[in-house]
Amino acid sequence: MAVPVAAMNALVLKLKDSKANTWMHLEKELRLAIDGLKTCSEDDLGGRSHISLGSGCELFMKYVTRAFNLEFMDFASCKEELLRRGERFADMSLNARVKIAELGHSFIQDDCTLLVHGVSRVVTGLILKAAESKHFNLIITESRPDAAGLESARIFSERGIPTKVVLDAAVGAIMEEVDLCLVGAEGVMENGGIVNKIGTYQIALVAKALQVPFYVAVESYKFSRMYPLSQRDVGDLSKIPDFTAPASASSTAAAGVGATCLSGAFNRTPSFGVVPSSPTKVKRSFSDLASALPANVVVEQMSIDFTPAKCITLLFTDIGVLTPAAVSDELIRLYQ
């Protein structure tokens, strides 16, 4: 289960357990719960940033509170409607990947070659859907620092899809073999750009230079009202967790939610009949290598980068296939 969907389920549980008897009290409880969810560290979130968690919670609040536009309804009835809407929104979000796979698989043609970066459940679903009726080749970047691309390669090779893994630094050299690039996203920004795993931006730049289509498969609950203009604007979100250490368990969160409800969300198991084995361990991580450097050498590790809209061809989402320019309009519609 994706982190935002798990967070939505946590908020639904909060709604069920709430003893509030006014909307102001209930809204305060939900906001405290969201603040608690946001206190989870990146280790707790499986190495992900808080972008999708925050946008998913805000969309959940916007969706369920529309119940209070209903007239002539007492608070108890209105609370029941809130709960119904919350459960419905969580279910809709859970099914988003299936819709994206249905919409996006037709863009993958027979005998083409795809470049994939990292591991993404929504990208995995789309590719496996396309593989049901077409034959194509995959090139997967190693995707340091956690070498997540190795896990993707194992999943696809077990499904019989011809797969090749390349170094992240080899993207420019192999792009001439590629017909299209396909990546996921941690967040879609208001300006149509995306925030995703480090290395996405350089792939998009090379693809644009060589006129290779660059597609993004992403759920609409990751649409965020953020407006970064450069890499510096996402810098505070891009500090990397230590992938060599075991992930810590989320033990506490404000308002008594978050940790327990999110605990099952951080595995990367795709819900498409493929169960990955334990994540591939990197024998020499960047941290290990950097630790051998002199103390006066500054070592900067980043987990995410920002890819501007001008580098993106299309976004495959559960609300349709969108151009980057259409994202702003969709955000207005989602939040109105």
PDB file of all heavy atoms in Angstrom, residues 52-76:
ATOM      1  N   SER A  52       4.239  13.344  -1.021  1.00  0.00           N
ATOM      2  CA  SER A  52       3.001  12.636  -1.349  1.00  0.00           C
ATOM      3  C   SER A  52       2.134  12.437  -0.116  1.00  0.00           C
ATOM      4  O   SER A  52       0.900  12.457  -0.199  1.00  0.00           O
ATOM      5  CB  SER A  52       3.318  11.284  -1.997  1.00  0.00           C
ATOM      6  OG  SER A  52       4.052  10.450  -1.118  1.00  0.00           O
ATOM      7  N   LEU A  53       2.749  12.256   1.052  1.00  0.00           N
ATOM      8  CA  LEU A  53       1.998  12.116   2.296  1.00  0.00           C
ATOM      9  C   LEU A  53       1.192  13.374   2.576  1.00  0.00           C
ATOM     10  O   LEU A  53      -0.012  13.318   2.871  1.00  0.00           O
ATOM     11  CB  LEU A  53       2.961  11.831   3.452  1.00  0.00           C
ATOM     12  CG  LEU A  53       2.364  11.779   4.860  1.00  0.00           C
ATOM     13  CD1 LEU A  53       1.375  10.636   4.977  1.00  0.00           C
ATOM     14  CD2 LEU A  53       3.455  11.657   5.903  1.00  0.00           C
ATOM     15  N   GLY A  54       1.849  14.524   2.437  1.00  0.00           N
ATOM     16  CA  GLY A  54       1.163  15.785   2.687  1.00  0.00           C
ATOM     17  C   GLY A  54       0.047  16.065   1.699  1.00  0.00           C
ATOM     18  O   GLY A  54      -1.064  16.455   2.090  1.00  0.00           O
ATOM     19  N   SER A  55       0.309  15.858   0.411  1.00  0.00           N
ATOM     20  CA  SER A  55      -0.714  16.143  -0.598  1.00  0.00           C
ATOM     21  C   SER A  55      -1.888  15.175  -0.478  1.00  0.00           C
ATOM     22  O   SER A  55      -3.046  15.569  -0.634  1.00  0.00           O
ATOM     23  CB  SER A  55      -0.111  16.069  -2.006  1.00  0.00           C
ATOM     24  OG  SER A  55       0.433  14.796  -2.269  1.00  0.00           O
ATOM     25  N   GLY A  56      -1.613  13.905  -0.168  1.00  0.00           N
ATOM     26  CA  GLY A  56      -2.691  12.931  -0.004  1.00  0.00           C
ATOM     27  C   GLY A  56      -3.594  13.287   1.164  1.00  0.00           C
ATOM     28  O   GLY A  56      -4.826  13.211   1.059  1.00  0.00           O
ATOM     29  N   CYS A  57      -2.998  13.721   2.280  1.00  0.00           N
ATOM     30  CA  CYS A  57      -3.797  14.108   3.446  1.00  0.00           C
ATOM     31  C   CYS A  57      -4.643  15.345   3.163  1.00  0.00           C
ATOM     32  O   CYS A  57      -5.811  15.427   3.571  1.00  0.00           O
ATOM     33  CB  CYS A  57      -2.882  14.358   4.640  1.00  0.00           C
ATOM     34  SG  CYS A  57      -2.147  12.872   5.360  1.00  0.00           S
ATOM     35  N   GLU A  58      -4.065  16.322   2.467  1.00  0.00           N
ATOM     36  CA  GLU A  58      -4.814  17.545   2.165  1.00  0.00           C
ATOM     37  C   GLU A  58      -5.978  17.270   1.226  1.00  0.00           C
ATOM     38  O   GLU A  58      -7.080  17.810   1.400  1.00  0.00           O
ATOM     39  CB  GLU A  58      -3.885  18.601   1.571  1.00  0.00           C
ATOM     40  CG  GLU A  58      -2.897  19.186   2.569  1.00  0.00           C
ATOM     41  CD  GLU A  58      -3.580  19.790   3.789  1.00  0.00           C
ATOM     42  OE1 GLU A  58      -4.586  20.507   3.622  1.00  0.00           O
ATOM     43  OE2 GLU A  58      -3.108  19.531   4.908  1.00  0.00           O
ATOM     44  N   LEU A  59      -5.762  16.424   0.225  1.00  0.00           N
ATOM     45  CA  LEU A  59      -6.863  16.067  -0.680  1.00  0.00           C
ATOM     46  C   LEU A  59      -7.945  15.290   0.057  1.00  0.00           C
ATOM     47  O   LEU A  59      -9.140  15.470  -0.200  1.00  0.00           O
ATOM     48  CB  LEU A  59      -6.323  15.261  -1.861  1.00  0.00           C
ATOM     49  CG  LEU A  59      -5.657  16.066  -2.967  1.00  0.00           C
ATOM     50  CD1 LEU A  59      -4.986  15.145  -3.975  1.00  0.00           C
ATOM     51  CD2 LEU A  59      -6.679  16.948  -3.694  1.00  0.00           C
ATOM     52  N   PHE A  60      -7.533  14.424   0.971  1.00  0.00           N
ATOM     53  CA  PHE A  60      -8.498  13.686   1.782  1.00  0.00           C
ATOM     54  C   PHE A  60      -9.373  14.663   2.564  1.00  0.00           C
ATOM     55  O   PHE A  60     -10.606  14.552   2.574  1.00  0.00           O
ATOM     56  CB  PHE A  60      -7.753  12.753   2.735  1.00  0.00           C
ATOM     57  CG  PHE A  60      -8.640  12.008   3.701  1.00  0.00           C
ATOM     58  CD1 PHE A  60      -9.136  10.752   3.376  1.00  0.00           C
ATOM     59  CD2 PHE A  60      -8.962  12.557   4.939  1.00  0.00           C
ATOM     60  CE1 PHE A  60      -9.952  10.067   4.260  1.00  0.00           C
ATOM     61  CE2 PHE A  60      -9.780  11.879   5.830  1.00  0.00           C
ATOM     62  CZ  PHE A  60     -10.272  10.626   5.487  1.00  0.00           C
ATOM     63  N   MET A  61      -8.745  15.629   3.225  1.00  0.00           N
ATOM     64  CA  MET A  61      -9.510  16.610   4.002  1.00  0.00           C
ATOM     65  C   MET A  61     -10.460  17.400   3.130  1.00  0.00           C
ATOM     66  O   MET A  61     -11.612  17.639   3.494  1.00  0.00           O
ATOM     67  CB  MET A  61      -8.541  17.553   4.715  1.00  0.00           C
ATOM     68  CG  MET A  61      -7.818  16.924   5.892  1.00  0.00           C
ATOM     69  SD  MET A  61      -8.917  16.564   7.278  1.00  0.00           S
ATOM     70  CE  MET A  61      -9.342  18.224   7.827  1.00  0.00           C
ATOM     71  N   LYS A  62      -9.989  17.798   1.958  1.00  0.00           N
ATOM     72  CA  LYS A  62     -10.836  18.578   1.057  1.00  0.00           C
ATOM     73  C   LYS A  62     -12.020  17.758   0.580  1.00  0.00           C
ATOM     74  O   LYS A  62     -13.155  18.240   0.507  1.00  0.00           O
ATOM     75  CB  LYS A  62     -10.007  19.056  -0.141  1.00  0.00           C
ATOM     76  CG  LYS A  62     -10.738  20.022  -1.047  1.00  0.00           C
ATOM     77  CD  LYS A  62     -11.071  21.316  -0.313  1.00  0.00           C
ATOM     78  CE  LYS A  62     -11.828  22.283  -1.198  1.00  0.00           C
ATOM     79  NZ  LYS A  62     -12.204  23.515  -0.484  1.00  0.00           N
ATOM     80  N   TYR A  63     -11.768  16.489   0.280  1.00  0.00           N
ATOM     81  CA  TYR A  63     -12.833  15.636  -0.254  1.00  0.00           C
ATOM     82  C   TYR A  63     -13.893  15.354   0.804  1.00  0.00           C
ATOM     83  O   TYR A  63     -15.087  15.503   0.554  1.00  0.00           O
ATOM     84  CB  TYR A  63     -12.234  14.323  -0.767  1.00  0.00           C
ATOM     85  CG  TYR A  63     -13.249  13.398  -1.413  1.00  0.00           C
ATOM     86  CD1 TYR A  63     -13.594  13.546  -2.751  1.00  0.00           C
ATOM     87  CD2 TYR A  63     -13.851  12.385  -0.677  1.00  0.00           C
ATOM     88  CE1 TYR A  63     -14.521  12.707  -3.347  1.00  0.00           C
ATOM     89  CE2 TYR A  63     -14.779  11.540  -1.260  1.00  0.00           C
ATOM     90  CZ  TYR A  63     -15.114  11.703  -2.591  1.00  0.00           C
ATOM     91  OH  TYR A  63     -16.041  10.863  -3.174  1.00  0.00           O
ATOM     92  N   VAL A  64     -13.465  14.940   1.988  1.00  0.00           N
ATOM     93  CA  VAL A  64     -14.454  14.523   2.987  1.00  0.00           C
ATOM     94  C   VAL A  64     -15.225  15.703   3.552  1.00  0.00           C
ATOM     95  O   VAL A  64     -16.399  15.575   3.903  1.00  0.00           O
ATOM     96  CB  VAL A  64     -13.802  13.724   4.136  1.00  0.00           C
ATOM     97  CG1 VAL A  64     -13.163  12.456   3.611  1.00  0.00           C
ATOM     98  CG2 VAL A  64     -12.805  14.552   4.912  1.00  0.00           C
ATOM     99  N   THR A  65     -14.599  16.877   3.650  1.00  0.00           N
ATOM    100  CA  THR A  65     -15.290  18.009   4.268  1.00  0.00           C
ATOM    101  C   THR A  65     -16.322  18.635   3.345  1.00  0.00           C
ATOM    102  O   THR A  65     -17.068  19.521   3.774  1.00  0.00           O
ATOM    103  CB  THR A  65     -14.290  19.084   4.722  1.00  0.00           C
ATOM    104  OG1 THR A  65     -13.461  19.461   3.621  1.00  0.00           O
ATOM    105  CG2 THR A  65     -13.416  18.560   5.848  1.00  0.00           C
ATOM    106  N   ARG A  66     -16.389  18.187   2.121  1.00  0.00           N
ATOM    107  CA  ARG A  66     -17.478  18.643   1.260  1.00  0.00           C
ATOM    108  C   ARG A  66     -18.829  18.226   1.818  1.00  0.00           C
ATOM    109  O   ARG A  66     -19.873  18.747   1.441  1.00  0.00           O
ATOM    110  CB  ARG A  66     -17.309  18.096  -0.158  1.00  0.00           C
ATOM    111  CG  ARG A  66     -16.178  18.756  -0.928  1.00  0.00           C
ATOM    112  CD  ARG A  66     -15.939  18.071  -2.247  1.00  0.00           C
ATOM    113  NE  ARG A  66     -14.789  18.649  -2.940  1.00  0.00           N
ATOM    114  CZ  ARG A  66     -14.193  18.105  -3.990  1.00  0.00           C
ATOM    115  NH1 ARG A  66     -14.645  16.959  -4.489  1.00  0.00           N
ATOM    116  NH2 ARG A  66     -13.159  18.681  -4.565  1.00  0.00           N
ATOM    117  N   ALA A  67     -18.820  17.259   2.718  1.00  0.00           N
ATOM    118  CA  ALA A  67     -20.068  16.825   3.341  1.00  0.00           C
ATOM    119  C   ALA A  67     -20.746  17.976   4.081  1.00  0.00           C
ATOM    120  O   ALA A  67     -21.964  17.998   4.226  1.00  0.00           O
ATOM    121  CB  ALA A  67     -19.795  15.683   4.322  1.00  0.00           C
ATOM    122  N   PHE A  68     -19.970  18.939   4.542  1.00  0.00           N
ATOM    123  CA  PHE A  68     -20.539  20.031   5.310  1.00  0.00           C
ATOM    124  C   PHE A  68     -21.183  21.085   4.427  1.00  0.00           C
ATOM    125  O   PHE A  68     -21.677  22.082   4.917  1.00  0.00           O
ATOM    126  CB  PHE A  68     -19.475  20.643   6.218  1.00  0.00           C
ATOM    127  CG  PHE A  68     -19.209  19.794   7.428  1.00  0.00           C
ATOM    128  CD1 PHE A  68     -18.248  18.811   7.386  1.00  0.00           C
ATOM    129  CD2 PHE A  68     -19.967  19.948   8.564  1.00  0.00           C
ATOM    130  CE1 PHE A  68     -18.019  18.017   8.490  1.00  0.00           C
ATOM    131  CE2 PHE A  68     -19.748  19.156   9.669  1.00  0.00           C
ATOM    132  CZ  PHE A  68     -18.766  18.179   9.632  1.00  0.00           C
ATOM    133  N   ASN A  69     -21.199  20.871   3.138  1.00  0.00           N
ATOM    134  CA  ASN A  69     -21.971  21.736   2.251  1.00  0.00           C
ATOM    135  C   ASN A  69     -23.435  21.295   2.204  1.00  0.00           C
ATOM    136  O   ASN A  69     -24.276  21.963   1.643  1.00  0.00           O
ATOM    137  CB  ASN A  69     -21.384  21.700   0.834  1.00  0.00           C
ATOM    138  CG  ASN A  69     -20.023  22.355   0.788  1.00  0.00           C
ATOM    139  OD1 ASN A  69     -19.744  23.273   1.548  1.00  0.00           O
ATOM    140  ND2 ASN A  69     -19.157  21.875  -0.099  1.00  0.00           N
ATOM    141  N   LEU A  70     -23.707  20.107   2.789  1.00  0.00           N
ATOM    142  CA  LEU A  70     -25.075  19.599   2.783  1.00  0.00           C
ATOM    143  C   LEU A  70     -25.911  20.362   3.803  1.00  0.00           C
ATOM    144  O   LEU A  70     -25.491  20.609   4.931  1.00  0.00           O
ATOM    145  CB  LEU A  70     -25.081  18.101   3.112  1.00  0.00           C
ATOM    146  CG  LEU A  70     -24.262  17.221   2.160  1.00  0.00           C
ATOM    147  CD1 LEU A  70     -24.273  15.784   2.657  1.00  0.00           C
ATOM    148  CD2 LEU A  70     -24.802  17.302   0.750  1.00  0.00           C
ATOM    149  N   GLU A  71     -27.125  20.718   3.411  1.00  0.00           N
ATOM    150  CA  GLU A  71     -27.996  21.505   4.277  1.00  0.00           C
ATOM    151  C   GLU A  71     -28.887  20.605   5.128  1.00  0.00           C
ATOM    152  O   GLU A  71     -29.122  19.440   4.806  1.00  0.00           O
ATOM    153  CB  GLU A  71     -28.865  22.444   3.435  1.00  0.00           C
ATOM    154  CG  GLU A  71     -28.050  23.480   2.657  1.00  0.00           C
ATOM    155  CD  GLU A  71     -28.942  24.386   1.826  1.00  0.00           C
ATOM    156  OE1 GLU A  71     -30.168  24.163   1.835  1.00  0.00           O
ATOM    157  OE2 GLU A  71     -28.400  25.298   1.177  1.00  0.00           O
ATOM    158  N   PHE A  72     -29.399  21.177   6.205  1.00  0.00           N
ATOM    159  CA  PHE A  72     -30.371  20.511   7.059  1.00  0.00           C
ATOM    160  C   PHE A  72     -29.860  19.158   7.555  1.00  0.00           C
ATOM    161  O   PHE A  72     -30.588  18.166   7.536  1.00  0.00           O
ATOM    162  CB  PHE A  72     -31.705  20.324   6.309  1.00  0.00           C
ATOM    163  CG  PHE A  72     -32.187  21.564   5.634  1.00  0.00           C
ATOM    164  CD1 PHE A  72     -32.275  21.643   4.261  1.00  0.00           C
ATOM    165  CD2 PHE A  72     -32.535  22.694   6.393  1.00  0.00           C
ATOM    166  CE1 PHE A  72     -32.714  22.802   3.641  1.00  0.00           C
ATOM    167  CE2 PHE A  72     -32.967  23.843   5.773  1.00  0.00           C
ATOM    168  CZ  PHE A  72     -33.059  23.909   4.405  1.00  0.00           C
ATOM    169  N   MET A  73     -28.630  19.104   8.006  1.00  0.00           N
ATOM    170  CA  MET A  73     -28.063  17.845   8.494  1.00  0.00           C
ATOM    171  C   MET A  73     -27.459  18.092   9.865  1.00  0.00           C
ATOM    172  O   MET A  73     -26.672  19.023  10.045  1.00  0.00           O
ATOM    173  CB  MET A  73     -27.001  17.324   7.519  1.00  0.00           C
ATOM    174  CG  MET A  73     -26.369  16.008   7.916  1.00  0.00           C
ATOM    175  SD  MET A  73     -25.156  15.438   6.698  1.00  0.00           S
ATOM    176  CE  MET A  73     -26.214  14.801   5.417  1.00  0.00           C
ATOM    177  N   ASP A  74     -27.838  17.276  10.848  1.00  0.00           N
ATOM    178  CA  ASP A  74     -27.240  17.425  12.166  1.00  0.00           C
ATOM    179  C   ASP A  74     -25.820  16.877  12.149  1.00  0.00           C
ATOM    180  O   ASP A  74     -25.401  16.206  11.202  1.00  0.00           O
ATOM    181  CB  ASP A  74     -28.087  16.742  13.239  1.00  0.00           C
ATOM    182  CG  ASP A  74     -28.274  15.248  12.980  1.00  0.00           C
ATOM    183  OD1 ASP A  74     -27.344  14.615  12.447  1.00  0.00           O
ATOM    184  OD2 ASP A  74     -29.350  14.722  13.318  1.00  0.00           O
ATOM    185  N   PHE A  75     -25.062  17.152  13.229  1.00  0.00           N
ATOM    186  CA  PHE A  75     -23.650  16.806  13.226  1.00  0.00           C
ATOM    187  C   PHE A  75     -23.430  15.298  13.138  1.00  0.00           C
ATOM    188  O   PHE A  75     -22.510  14.830  12.445  1.00  0.00           O
ATOM    189  CB  PHE A  75     -22.958  17.357  14.478  1.00  0.00           C
ATOM    190  CG  PHE A  75     -21.485  17.073  14.509  1.00  0.00           C
ATOM    191  CD1 PHE A  75     -20.602  17.800  13.721  1.00  0.00           C
ATOM    192  CD2 PHE A  75     -20.982  16.046  15.304  1.00  0.00           C
ATOM    193  CE1 PHE A  75     -19.247  17.521  13.735  1.00  0.00           C
ATOM    194  CE2 PHE A  75     -19.627  15.764  15.323  1.00  0.00           C
ATOM    195  CZ  PHE A  75     -18.758  16.504  14.538  1.00  0.00           C
ATOM    196  N   ALA A  76     -24.255  14.525  13.844  1.00  0.00           N
ATOM    197  CA  ALA A  76     -24.090  13.067  13.826  1.00  0.00           C
ATOM    198  C   ALA A  76     -24.242  12.515  12.403  1.00  0.00           C
ATOM    199  O   ALA A  76     -23.450  11.682  11.957  1.00  0.00           O
ATOM    200  CB  ALA A  76     -25.099  12.413  14.760  1.00  0.00           C
TER     201      ALA A  76
END
